[in-house]
Amino acid sequence: FTPTRKGSFDFAWSTQKVALEIEGGAFTGHGHRSVGKYLRDLEKYNEAALARWALLRCTVTDVENGAVFALLRRALQMET
């Protein structure tokens, strides 16, 4: 999403500049919750904001129960 940063979003709609990050390990203490990964995530989220991306964050549960899809629909319909 930015030429100065390695890495990517879990899902992205580049035309609308909408990204989705699924926060793994939110309830287990694993996944993105190690200090190093957490700090890298903060850097990525801040860079995304500066590049004017709408960044949606959710849990695996939000995907499983479908809650995230209403957010995605709203975000993808926003004016850029």
Side-chain angles (χ1 to χ4, degrees):
F1 66 94
T2 175
T4 60
R5 178 168 167 56
K6 293 181 181 178
S8 60
F9 298 119
D10 291 335
F11 296 93
W13 293 262
S14 58
T15 304
Q16 294 96 334
K17 292 184 92 168
V18 171
L20 175 65
E21 285 287 300
I22 302 168
E23 300 295 342
F27 304 110
T28 64
H30 296 70
H32 294 238
R33 297 306 101 203
S34 72
V35 173
K37 288 181 182 181
Y38 179 76
L39 294 175
R40 285 190 296 278
D41 282 349
L42 287 180
E43 179 185 346
K44 177 167 65 171
Y45 300 157
N46 287 335
E47 288 295 329
L50 292 172
R52 308 256 192 267
W53 278 81
L55 176 59
L56 302 176
R57 298 172 62 193
C58 71
T59 65
V60 172
T61 303
D62 296 324
V63 175
E64 291 172 345
N65 68 23
V68 71
F69 300 110
L71 288 173
L72 280 171
R73 276 192 293 278
R74 288 175 54 199
L76 293 170
Q77 292 173 358
M78 290 178 3
E79 297 277 334
T80 56

